[in-house]
Every structure is written in C-alpha cells, then in structure tokens.
Amino acid sequence: MANTYDFGLVGLGVMGRNFILNVADNGFSAFGNDLDQEKVSALIEEGGDVDKVNATTDAKVFVEALSQPRKIMLLVPAGKIVDAVIENLLPLLDEGDIIIDGGNSFYTDTDRREAYLKDKGINFFGAGVSGGAKGARRGPSIMPGGSREAYQHVKPIFEAVSAKYKGEPCVTYLGPKSAGNYVKMVHNGIEYGLMQLTSEIYDLLKKAGGLSNQELHNTFAEWNKGRLQSFLVEITSEILAQKDDLTDGDLVDMILDKAKQKGTGKWTSQNAMDLGIPVPTIDIAVSMREISALKDERIKADELYDRPSPKAVNKADFVSKAEEALYFAFIMAYAQGMHQLADASKEYGYELDLGEIAKIWRAGCIIRAGLLADITDAFKADKKLPNLLLSNSFVQKVQSTVSSARELVSYGAENGIPLPGLSNSLTYFDAYTSSRLPLNLIQGQRDYFGSHTYERIDREGIFHTEWEKE
C-alpha cells in the first residue's frame, strides 16, 4: 500500500465521500481519512475496489499510502478544525508535499496558513468547491489559488473531476495566496443575492399575481428554458412541484420562513465595505436572512400594523414583467460581485482574470447560469473592465428590462410586498449610472460640523468653509 495512491482526502462527510469517489471514477486512486470509523467503512464499501478507493482512521497509515509529492485535500468545516488537521498531518509530511483546503475558509486564514506551511517546506493552497454534494460527485466548479507550481501536481486530477461546459473543465488556477478562497467567498455572496431575488419574485407572483404553486412551477420551468436558465431557477421550479409527505399540501408551504446562513455572504458584504465597493443586493440578502430569524417579533408586528391588499393585476403581463425584472436584477448581482473581485484583485495582488472566473462558473457551481457565457465574453473582450454595466454588450440587456424592475418595485411599495433585493438592485443601477448624486450636500454637512473639507467641481484643491457666522 505504501506510496501507491494518487490523491488523499481528509473528511469523509457527504461532500468528502462524494469528491473522493469522483476522483476514483476519473482514473486516479484515492485514499481517505476520517476519525469516524463508520464513515471510513462506508467509503470502502461504496468504493468497491480498495486498489482504487481506500480509507483509514489512522493518520500515519493515510499519509504513508500516498505517492509523493503527497496531494492531500481537506474537506472539513472552516475554522479551528482546519488548523487541527494540519497540525496532525504536519509531523508525517515531507518537504514539497501539498495540502489543499477545499472548505469555505476565510481568505485571511488561508494567507496565514500558507505562510506558516511555506516556512516548513509544505505547499498549501485554498480551493473553493461549489456544487453541493451532487456537484462533488458528478463534477463541481473548483476555484484553486496559491502556489502555481504546486497546483501543477493537482491540475490533472482537478480538471478530470470538475464539471465540464462544452467540454471545457470548470477549474483554473486563479492566482496566488488566498485567491481561490476569496473567489469562492464572493461566489457565495452572489449566490445569496440570486437566492433572495428569486424568493422575492416567487412571493410577488404568489401574493399579487395569484399564481398557484403548480403555475409557479410551470413559470420557473419555462423561464429556465430561456435567458434566465440557471441552477437556482431550475431547482426553484422543482421545489414548487414537491408534494409534502406529512400533509396533503405542497412542501414549500410547510417550510418555516427562517433562512439560516454559514457566514460567507456576511464575509462578502463586510469585505466589500472594507474595500469601498458597493454590493447592496448582497448586503440586503444577508440582512433579510437576519430579519427572517426574527419570526416571533415579525408575527407580533404583523398584528400591529395594517397592510394594503394587493391590487389586481393582469396575470400574463405580470409574469412577463417579473421575468424581465428578475433578469435585470440577476445582472446587477453578478455585476456587483465581479466589481468586488476586480477591486480585491488589485488590493490583495491576486491578478484575477474575471473572464476565466466567469468561465469556470458556467457549469457545476450553484450560481451557474446561461448569463455567465455573456459575462465571460464581456470580460474576455475587455480584461480591464471595472464593472459589467460599462460593457456595451450589456447595455441593451439592461435597457430592455429596467422598466419592468421599476414597475414591480413601485407595485411592491404601494401594496406592502417587500422587494428589498429588487429595490436595492434598481437603486444600485440608478446610482451607478448617475453622473451627479446628492453627495455634494453630505460633503457640505461633513465640512459644516467636522471641518472635513470638500472638493469643488470648478477647480482643483481641497476647500473648507467657515459656515457659522459670528
């Protein structure tokens, strides 16, 4: 067994087990490690041939089974567990071995770990993996960053196991240090935004359009055949068709309206604020999950305040406008996330190629969508494009759909249906495309109470006014 397996993986939960089986299916022998004997046994049983897939609870046996340089991927929860696994493996490794963190680690933790292991002669890189458990088994989108040289050893395996879009693997080397984990973080932030937007359109069509769950299922299924084709629209149609095993109703109506989160959306929002990049669609998506958690308070507040009854609408026309508004808002969510990646690349020295990022998101990952092919083309055409909204190829897409977004945001406000994601997307667009904003007044206020100074439109320099007269 010594030095015979091509690839090692620590953490044999659902994601880890599926990923390692995917590796074996693609012609690479793989060895797993987990402290839980049941998970080890389950993998060996499912793998069938121990020469292709094997596992152990013993870290020493695990490390000695791998060919050099050892390629060890960690699919364990982010945080202290990653550090604990690294410390457990470290005495058993040789110089030049490679550790890959495949979890959703915060990017600064990846930078710290890379520097720590580099001093010990061990290569380390973070590789975001998107696609959930099914993606891990059938082909995920993989976002690796770190040592370019070390990646070359893993490249054949990752390209084999990743999702394919028209034959092209959905994985590429993204950049140095924590580039991979950072890109995965922003991917998840975009995911938060798209999920929030989809839920709002569902709510609007149900409350105002009067669509049944079956009609909603049909609507989202039809949209998935067009320009809104995406994983999230596809699964939305399937969720809306699911019957409940415990009642005679539909499952979606029985799910409690409290959405949980693991932190990656919040990290995206917080880091965007640190960078000074506006991502309001992502920001509000995080906030809405927090508001949803206040269920008991929301029930009490609902009893205290009147709400308008939604005005009647033409169902077919309303559905058509909803499709246009959702398409518009999807563009805004992607534009904000890509804008953040562009700025972070400069700030952190990642040297990201936004066209390549959009390219590897076209299949396998949660935010995969037909729209990403157009986004790929836009950033390939202009590698220095700071924002998708500045691409000529997107002007008509936005111009032809923004009026529906305006109409639905107005309808929601008048009829008491919250559309914060759609509203924030529209506000972002209107602000970003305004050559003049009222922030001149804010600068005047800041100078008035704090002598913070201001700039002028008619001449260079920094100015201050003595506002208060004696």
Side-chain angles (χ1 to χ4, degrees), residues 172-206:
T172 190
Y173 174 78
L174 294 176
K177 303 184 295 183
S178 54
N181 283 127
Y182 190 92
V183 170
K184 178 58 163 56
M185 178 186 78
V186 174
H187 164 286
N188 286 20
I190 295 171
E191 179 185 307
Y192 271 56
L194 300 180
M195 292 172 75
Q196 176 63 33
L197 292 165
T198 307
S199 74
E200 290 177 13
I201 294 299
Y202 147 77
D203 194 42
L204 190 64
L205 291 176
K206 194 175 182 74

Side-chain angles (χ1 to χ4, degrees), residues 401-463:
T401 54
V402 64
S403 61
S404 290
R406 295 192 193 287
E407 191 170 328
L408 294 193
V409 167
S410 176
Y411 181 93
E414 289 178 359
N415 293 276
I417 299 174
L419 300 171
L422 185 58
S423 177
N424 270 22
S425 297
L426 181 60
T427 298
Y428 171 80
F429 170 74
D430 284 335
Y432 187 80
T433 57
S434 294
S435 61
R436 180 78 171 167
L437 292 170
L439 281 295
N440 53 319
L441 178 59
I442 290 176
Q443 280 303 97
Q445 292 169 333
R446 293 180 73 245
D447 191 56
Y448 189 110
F449 66 69
S451 300
H452 292 299
T453 73
Y454 55 87
E455 296 172 88
R456 296 178 60 92
I457 62 172
D458 59 349
R459 65 199 68 194
E460 296 291 323
I462 303 297
F463 298 85

Side-chain angles (χ1 to χ4, degrees), residues 225-415:
K225 297 175 184 176
R227 60 184 172 180
L228 278 172
Q229 184 277 317
S230 59
F231 174 71
L232 288 171
V233 169
E234 178 186 356
I235 67 168
T236 297
S237 71
E238 293 178 4
I239 291 166
L240 289 163
Q242 182 67 43
K243 295 299 179 183
D244 182 27
D245 292 338
L246 303 178
T247 68
D248 295 330
D250 297 325
L251 179 58
V252 69
D253 295 328
M254 303 309 297
I255 298 174
L256 184 65
D257 57 331
K258 287 171 65 174
K260 298 181 180 178
Q261 53 186 319
K262 291 186 175 179
T264 46
K266 180 180 70 174
W267 292 346
T268 305
S269 182
Q270 289 173 331
N271 180 253
M273 290 186 183
D274 291 339
L275 292 171
I277 295 298
V279 292
T281 305
I282 297 171
D283 292 339
I284 200 64
V286 175
S287 293
M288 284 304 293
R289 295 198 188 191
E290 292 163 347
I291 290 175
S292 80
L294 306 175
K295 178 69 173 179
D296 292 342
E297 295 173 41
R298 289 192 288 118
I299 291 171
K300 292 176 183 176
D302 195 5
E303 295 171 351
L304 294 173
Y305 296 95
D306 294 331
R307 185 183 302 277
S309 296
K311 295 176 183 176
V313 298
N314 178 289
K315 186 181 287 190
D317 182 58
F318 206 65
V319 169
S320 177
K321 286 183 168 59
E323 188 272 342
E324 292 183 354
L326 186 58
Y327 183 71
F328 165 84
F330 268 25
I331 292 173
M332 296 305 119
Y334 283 112
Q336 291 166 37
M338 300 306 275
H339 191 189
Q340 182 170 347
L341 288 174
D343 201 75
S345 183
K346 298 173 190 171
E347 183 71 19
Y348 305 134
Y350 289 149
E351 303 169 8
L352 298 176
D353 183 329
L354 299 188
E356 285 294 301
I357 292 170
K359 187 177 174 182
I360 66 170
W361 285 349
R362 293 177 302 175
C365 70
I366 303 301
I367 65 170
R368 62 183 182 266
L371 185 58
L372 279 161
D374 296 329
I375 295 174
T376 298
D377 292 341
F379 284 107
K380 289 292 184 186
D382 183 358
K383 289 187 178 293
K384 295 185 178 179
L385 184 69
N387 192 301
L388 201 57
L389 295 180
L390 297 176
S391 168
N392 288 333
S393 64
F394 270 83
V395 173
Q396 181 55 33
K397 299 180 196 300
V398 173
Q399 292 278 51
S400 63
T401 54
V402 64
S403 61
S404 290
R406 295 192 193 287
E407 191 170 328
L408 294 193
V409 167
S410 176
Y411 181 93
E414 289 178 359
N415 293 276

Side-chain angles (χ1 to χ4, degrees), residues 6-242:
D6 301 317
F7 184 78
L9 192 143
V10 178
L12 301 179
V14 177
M15 278 287 290
R17 184 174 74 251
N18 282 349
F19 194 93
I20 202 170
L21 290 169
N22 186 0
V23 170
D25 284 347
N26 280 280
F28 299 92
S29 56
F31 204 89
N33 174 241
D34 199 289
L35 296 176
D36 187 335
Q37 182 60 54
E38 286 188 13
K39 291 178 180 176
V40 167
S41 300
L43 175 65
I44 294 171
E45 183 177 351
E46 192 169 353
D49 184 348
V50 292
D51 289 331
K52 292 182 179 179
V53 183
N54 208 336
T56 180
T57 58
D58 189 314
K60 189 171 186 293
V61 171
F62 167 69
V63 170
E64 290 179 351
L66 303 175
S67 60
Q68 294 176 297
R70 298 179 179 93
K71 296 165 282 292
I72 301 174
M73 188 167 185
L74 316 183
L75 276 173
V76 299
K80 293 180 180 179
I81 294 178
V82 176
D83 293 310
V85 172
I86 290 171
E87 290 303 322
N88 190 43
L89 292 173
L90 205 47
L92 306 171
L93 300 179
D94 294 313
E95 187 171 338
D97 286 347
I98 304 162
I99 297 178
I100 309 149
D101 180 9
N104 285 326
S105 289
F106 192 52
Y107 72 99
T108 56
D109 287 338
T110 300
D111 288 334
R112 169 178 57 80
R113 288 166 186 145
E114 187 202 29
Y116 170 69
L117 289 168
K118 191 173 184 179
D119 286 343
K120 300 181 182 301
I122 305 299
N123 293 298
F124 179 83
F125 62 87
V129 179
S130 178
K134 288 183 179 178
R137 188 70 181 87
R138 300 173 186 169
S141 174
I142 309 175
M143 295 154 253
S147 165
R148 184 185 292 273
E149 293 74 22
Y151 175 66
Q152 298 309 309
H153 292 286
V154 187
K155 180 180 177 182
I157 299 174
F158 276 8
E159 289 189 347
V161 304
S162 69
K164 306 298 184 295
Y165 181 86
K166 296 182 178 179
E168 293 185 273
C170 290
V171 58
T172 190
Y173 174 78
L174 294 176
K177 303 184 295 183
S178 54
N181 283 127
Y182 190 92
V183 170
K184 178 58 163 56
M185 178 186 78
V186 174
H187 164 286
N188 286 20
I190 295 171
E191 179 185 307
Y192 271 56
L194 300 180
M195 292 172 75
Q196 176 63 33
L197 292 165
T198 307
S199 74
E200 290 177 13
I201 294 299
Y202 147 77
D203 194 42
L204 190 64
L205 291 176
K206 194 175 182 74
K207 290 178 179 175
L211 274 71
S212 67
N213 289 336
Q214 183 59 46
E215 288 175 314
L216 285 164
H217 158 71
N218 294 338
T219 296
F220 278 92
E222 190 63 31
W223 286 355
N224 193 51
K225 297 175 184 176
R227 60 184 172 180
L228 278 172
Q229 184 277 317
S230 59
F231 174 71
L232 288 171
V233 169
E234 178 186 356
I235 67 168
T236 297
S237 71
E238 293 178 4
I239 291 166
L240 289 163
Q242 182 67 43

